[in-house]
Amino acid sequence: MKKLFRNLLFFSAIGSVAILASCGGDEEEPLPAAPSITVTVSGDAEVSGSEITAITGDEVSFAVTITAPGVFNTLNITPSVDGVAGTPTVFTRNSTEVTKNADNTEASITITYTFEEEDEDTEITWTFEAVDDSDQTATKEFTATVSAPPSPEARAYTAVLLSAPLGDKSADGFFSSNTGLVYSPADVTGTSAAISPNIDFGYYYGATDKASLASPKAYSLLSNAGFTAQVAGWGTLNETMLKKTTLTAAAFTEVTTWADLDEVYTAATDAAAGVKTTLEANQVLAFKTASTKTGGSKIGLILVKSITAGDGVAGKIELEILVQEDAE
């Protein structure tokens, strides 16, 4: 009996060794080093660390480099807007956009993005996730804040001198914000060049209306035949709209951008019309050109610097003008 018990113990010991030997043979291979990812951002926007500051129209490039000792598998790029995640874009090692080495341990790709108007006043985040064949990951994240581009500087015309109309149509009484030049009716009709499509408004001095500015269309409808004759034969009679504003001469000098001009025109409560009469020195008018005019619809301001009363050769008005044209 004792012998049998010893034999059982012997075989039990052998079985334990066998089991231990078997378990030792099932140990897993160690994982390769985890992947690493670098992302270099370049382009129009400002970049500070992982923060991107952009304006509409900026383009940025993300140059992604992945090192994966355990073999590169995929790159997942997930965008989110104001914290709401979008659909990831997945690039595998077989994607044509991916450049890789022979053993797939190094991979690179460059992605570009252009900020659009719909991105303004939002926060956009991109999460770049590199994955190897062992499902090990590495991530990088970048966040962009996007704003509207600054308003362009307005173009300024100074010392614009318009003369009261004369019977021979020789007085330089009309102005074009496209060219910044003054024209006489004879200039408009005495050439084959298309000048009338550029004219915004003209000056006249009436017995009742006194110092006045009128669009070419409104000029053609004045009751004074001598005035209407000034625009006779013009191919185009633009319908510029004018408003009187409460802006002071000092405040006029503080208007500098296209956005400023929009704001003043919108704030002016005076009814827009093709003619404004009884003008005075230091008065500020806003104007809006017709959408059909050469150059399209633009907004501007007119500061009346001085008026020399009269409807003859001596009659003149001096203006300063700001308009939504590129600053010179």
Side-chain angles (χ1 to χ4, degrees):
M1 186 67 178
K2 291 181 178 179
K3 183 177 181 182
L4 176 61
F5 184 68
R6 285 196 298 269
N7 289 340
L8 287 173
L9 288 175
F10 174 75
F11 286 117
S12 176
I14 293 174
S16 297
V17 171
I19 291 169
L20 289 171
S22 175
C23 289
D26 288 342
E27 288 182 2
E28 294 183 359
E29 292 292 327
L31 289 173
S36 62
I37 182 171
T38 61
V39 182
T40 303
V41 184
S42 61
D44 304 318
E46 295 181 11
V47 182
S48 178
S50 63
E51 301 296 321
I52 301 170
T53 303
I55 61 174
T56 303
D58 280 352
E59 182 181 271
V60 291
S61 294
F62 300 94
V64 184
T65 301
I66 299 163
T67 299
V71 181
F72 167 69
N73 187 285
T74 57
L75 170 67
N76 304 313
I77 305 176
T78 305
S80 64
V81 179
D82 293 333
V84 179
T87 303
T89 299
V90 179
F91 297 95
T92 71
R93 59 173 167 256
N94 295 320
S95 297
T96 57
E97 299 91 344
V98 175
T99 300
K100 56 190 184 298
N101 64 358
D103 58 5
N104 294 319
T105 57
E106 300 282 345
S108 62
I109 185 173
T110 298
I111 306 296
T112 61
Y113 184 83
T114 301
F115 296 97
E116 300 180 352
E117 190 172 345
E118 64 184 22
D119 298 326
E120 292 176 8
D121 302 319
T122 65
E123 185 176 86
I124 305 174
T125 299
W126 291 272
T127 301
F128 298 83
E129 180 189 48
V131 185
D132 69 7
D133 277 356
S134 299
D135 287 330
Q136 298 183 107
T137 62
T139 61
K140 286 285 186 182
E141 190 172 274
F142 289 86
T143 298
T145 54
V146 190
S147 58
S151 181
E153 294 289 312
R155 182 180 297 181
Y157 297 114
T158 59
V160 176
L161 195 63
L162 300 181
S163 300
L166 297 173
D168 64 1
K169 301 183 180 180
S170 64
D172 292 330
F174 292 89
F175 177 77
S176 166
S177 62
N178 287 356
T179 65
L181 301 176
V182 297
Y183 299 89
S184 70
D187 292 331
V188 177
T189 58
T191 177
S192 59
I195 294 177
S196 65
N198 291 292
I199 303 297
D200 295 311
F201 52 80
Y203 176 65
Y204 72 92
Y205 193 94
T208 302
D209 290 350
K210 304 301 181 183
S212 304
L213 292 175
S215 71
K217 179 66 175 181
Y219 222 105
S220 72
L221 300 174
L222 295 173
S223 59
N224 185 310
F227 294 160
T228 60
Q230 302 294 308
V231 294
W234 287 24
T236 301
L237 296 171
N238 285 318
E239 297 186 57
T240 305
M241 303 305 289
L242 299 150
K243 289 182 177 183
K244 291 182 178 180
T245 77
T246 58
L247 209 65
T248 64
F252 175 89
T253 63
E254 297 176 2
V255 177
T256 60
T257 69
W258 290 30
D260 293 341
L261 293 171
D262 284 332
E263 184 177 346
V264 174
Y265 186 88
T266 301
T269 58
D270 181 40
V275 59
K276 291 297 172 182
T277 63
T278 60
L279 303 180
E280 299 176 354
N282 295 317
Q283 192 167 22
V284 178
L285 291 85
F287 68 90
K288 185 176 185 179
T289 63
S291 60
T292 55
K293 174 184 180 289
T294 297
S297 181
K298 297 174 292 186
I299 287 174
L301 289 183
I302 303 166
L303 170 63
V304 179
K305 292 290 289 182
S306 64
I307 298 170
T308 303
D311 59 357
V313 176
K316 298 184 185 301
I317 189 170
E318 183 182 352
L319 310 173
E320 287 190 9
I321 297 168
L322 294 171
V323 67
Q324 289 175 334
E325 292 276 2
D326 292 337
E328 294 182 321

